Amino acid sequence: DNYVSIHHLQDDRVIKTLFRKSLKSIQEEALHPALLRCHRSYLINLTHLQQIHGNRNKLTVFLNQVKTPIPVSRQYMDAVFALVSQPSQMA
């Protein structure tokens, strides 16, 4: 609900930080232009995008330093495909 776990790199290690905010409020703050909502439970940083796997029925993304695949819901698929096809916006 109002707690968000942010996983970020610090000294080449993944660190987890807990914030008392909603994911929607973090998304609206637009802290970085490469942040993208891909699921109701996930925002991803496209600069760390390693691979997209699947098709329109089931799509997952893989990020650098993250072993667990991250799901992309149907609601956000078009946004993921649009931004990934324009890499100049991810810088």
Side-chain angles (χ1 to χ4, degrees):
D1 289 323
N2 289 323
Y3 288 95
V4 175
S5 295
I6 295 182
H7 300 259
H8 58 93
L9 288 176
Q10 183 176 350
D11 299 326
D12 292 328
R13 292 186 340 200
V14 177
I15 305 293
K16 178 181 171 182
T17 306
L18 188 66
F19 286 91
R20 191 172 197 291
K21 270 188 164 177
S22 69
L23 196 57
K24 183 176 181 176
S25 68
I26 291 174
Q27 180 183 6
E28 289 172 351
E29 289 177 12
L31 300 174
H32 193 279
L35 288 180
L36 175 69
R37 186 82 175 252
C38 67
H39 188 275
R40 72 181 189 136
S41 300
Y42 295 95
L43 271 174
I44 60 171
N45 185 335
L46 293 173
T47 59
H48 294 284
L49 183 65
Q50 182 178 26
Q51 182 181 18
I52 297 176
H53 183 66
N55 55 34
R56 290 223 175 251
N57 292 325
K58 184 176 180 183
L59 188 68
T60 55
V61 296
F62 293 86
L63 302 177
N64 297 327
Q65 306 284 337
V66 179
K67 295 177 182 165
T68 308
I70 298 170
V72 177
S73 65
R74 289 186 180 137
Q75 178 181 0
Y76 299 105
M77 276 188 195
D78 290 336
V80 170
F81 285 130
L83 283 179
V84 168
S85 67
Q86 299 174 1
S88 62
Q89 292 185 4
M90 292 191 287

